[in-house]
Amino acid sequence: MAAHSVRDATVEDARGIARVHTRTWQVAYDHVFPTNRLAGLVEEHRAEQWHEWLSNPEERRHTLVVDVRDEVVGFADAGPTRDPESNRDLVGELYAIYVLPEAWGRGIGRALMAEVLRRLRADGFQEAILWVIEDNPRTRRYYELSGWHHDGGTKEDQMLDIAVHLVRYRISLVDA
């Protein structure tokens, strides 16, 4: 299997990231959200949001992409934690990691994850967290195989106007 080249996202990647983000949600969460809600995701709105984020990067935030044939097929976004229970100087957070469904199983997610963890470690974070929808067994299994563990943290959130239960995962970045 060929190694996938991970690079920093640019403003020009906003539309590609939005396409991956929207398409992946529509497939990965089809058991969580009603079909009409997923179909109603507007790629253009996500592209505008990503354009704004990529135009005004925050300190220690990393948005990474993998291209195949000059098309974004996966992305990851990470930086200081947004969790109020955690120290922003010591704890990083994986905000998002998505790969187009048709590219699942090709090592793209592994390449993105390895680079995200390397970047967070280089930024001086000692550990990282992520939040995932509890009813998302495929993704939770992927995180566990990547070295993350459910630390007992939970919270409720609203996504697509639906209440969802999230669980927190954690990974040490020290001596890793």
Side-chain angles (χ1 to χ4, degrees), residues 37-106:
R37 296 278 170 83
L38 290 169
L41 291 173
V42 180
E43 190 175 307
E44 186 62 34
H45 293 160
R46 287 204 173 174
E48 290 168 7
Q49 187 176 49
W50 279 107
H51 188 275
E52 175 64 26
W53 287 334
L54 293 167
S55 297
N56 301 293
E58 298 171 22
E59 187 177 347
R60 300 194 306 167
R61 182 170 181 170
H62 305 280
T63 305
L64 309 170
V65 296
V66 169
D67 299 308
V68 172
R69 292 184 292 283
D70 297 322
E71 186 174 317
V72 174
V73 296
F75 78 94
D77 191 38
T81 185
R82 300 173 293 194
D83 187 340
E85 297 177 15
S86 300
N87 182 330
R88 287 180 55 86
D89 294 329
L90 301 177
V91 180
E93 183 173 342
L94 177 59
Y95 308 136
I97 185 167
Y98 292 103
V99 174
L100 283 175
E102 50 271 26
W104 288 351
R106 297 187 192 165

Side-chain angles (χ1 to χ4, degrees), residues 2-66:
H4 296 283
S5 178
V6 178
R7 65 174 176 81
D8 289 300
T10 66
V11 172
E12 289 75 28
D13 293 315
R15 187 167 300 287
I17 291 170
R19 185 177 60 80
V20 171
H21 204 175
T22 302
R23 176 77 179 117
T24 304
W25 263 66
Q26 289 169 335
V27 172
Y29 300 132
D30 67 344
H31 68 287
V32 177
F33 301 106
T35 303
N36 65 326
R37 296 278 170 83
L38 290 169
L41 291 173
V42 180
E43 190 175 307
E44 186 62 34
H45 293 160
R46 287 204 173 174
E48 290 168 7
Q49 187 176 49
W50 279 107
H51 188 275
E52 175 64 26
W53 287 334
L54 293 167
S55 297
N56 301 293
E58 298 171 22
E59 187 177 347
R60 300 194 306 167
R61 182 170 181 170
H62 305 280
T63 305
L64 309 170
V65 296
V66 169

